[in-house]
Amino acid sequence: IEMWQIFVLAFLSGLTMSFVAPARESMTPYLVSKEDLLNAISLNRGVGYVLRMLTPAIAGVLIEIIGVDGIYYIAGVTYFFILFATWKIRTPTRAIRERATSALSDMRGILSYVANHPTLFRLLLLSLVPMVFAMPYFTLLPIFATDVLNIGAPGYGLLMGVSGVGATVSAVLLAMRARSGASGWLLLVSIATLGGFLVAFSASHWLYLSL
């Protein structure tokens, strides 16, 4: 395996997710009532976070046994189960287009809608802050595991797993608050807290503090 092949795979994976993620998210409102929407979104994310918590820890152990290539083979096989489960989902209703439109005109319509709804515009800006400035820390975790903390592949899986624990707890708490409504301050405090913890993590050479 050459580096250029990994870059091509990463590019194709990111390109695919740019279509898959919005389509997957758009299914949720058709599966539950409006009153249960926030709860459903939180639980849906929570399941994803549980997997993010368990799979890296398992993979970190298995790398020592079957190697990195073995992990990729297992991941490839599990995608068939995911595809089958997604294929079995039946949404009761679908949005029907009244007229044919292009992707460009759809994009202009989205931007126009967001521009005319200031609250939505601010929320999108806030959501971009952690995605652009914080979440890329995942790509640097292998360097911290090997060169900073000296804990190798199993330790890297542990670091990934711990981040999943925090995300799972957050998703459950958000689901519990769904009925009373989530405060905008909660989003602001969460982003600020994430930034503070990342600064502390970047300066840490002690495993337990890093976790």
Side-chain angles (χ1 to χ4, degrees):
I1 298 177
E2 303 292 336
M3 281 301 299
W4 70 267
Q5 294 170 321
I6 297 177
F7 279 116
V8 169
L9 180 63
F11 173 77
L12 292 176
S13 176
L15 188 65
T16 303
M17 284 304 297
S18 68
F19 292 95
V20 172
R24 185 185 298 163
E25 295 289 340
S26 68
M27 292 175 67
T28 308
Y30 294 106
L31 296 173
V32 299
S33 64
K34 185 177 180 179
E35 294 74 19
D36 296 323
L37 185 56
L38 180 57
N39 192 286
I41 292 174
S42 301
L43 292 176
N44 185 36
R45 294 288 177 86
V47 171
Y49 293 143
V50 168
L51 292 176
R52 199 177 88 186
M53 173 178 60
L54 295 177
T55 50
I58 296 172
V61 175
L62 289 179
I63 284 177
E64 299 292 320
I65 303 173
I66 60 177
V68 176
D69 53 344
I71 299 296
Y72 270 97
Y73 289 130
I74 293 175
V77 170
T78 58
Y79 270 112
F80 286 100
F81 294 99
I82 296 170
L83 287 172
F84 178 75
T86 306
W87 175 63
K88 296 294 288 184
I89 295 176
R90 294 292 181 265
T91 54
T93 57
R94 293 181 183 274
I96 306 298
R97 286 181 180 267
E98 297 179 354
R99 57 187 176 85
T101 58
S102 67
L104 189 59
S105 64
D106 285 347
M107 186 62 71
R108 283 199 297 265
I110 292 169
L111 294 175
S112 175
Y113 183 85
V114 171
N116 291 321
H117 293 76
T119 301
L120 183 60
F121 178 71
R122 296 187 190 103
L123 285 172
L124 286 174
L125 281 182
L126 277 175
S127 67
L128 278 175
V129 170
M131 292 303 296
V132 174
F133 296 105
M135 299 315 292
Y137 85 90
F138 275 113
T139 59
L140 298 175
L141 277 185
I143 299 175
F144 278 90
T146 56
D147 299 343
V148 178
L149 300 172
N150 299 312
I151 50 180
Y156 169 59
L158 185 61
L159 287 174
M160 290 286 290
V162 165
S163 69
V165 172
T168 303
V169 172
S170 300
V172 171
L173 292 176
L174 189 60
M176 292 171 61
R177 288 178 56 91
R179 291 294 181 182
S180 60
S183 167
W185 283 105
L186 185 62
L187 180 60
L188 291 171
V189 171
S190 299
I191 294 174
T193 304
L194 173 61
F197 274 115
L198 281 179
V199 171
F201 173 77
S202 67
S204 171
H205 290 265
W206 186 38
L207 173 61
Y208 295 106
L209 178 60
S210 299
L211 293 175

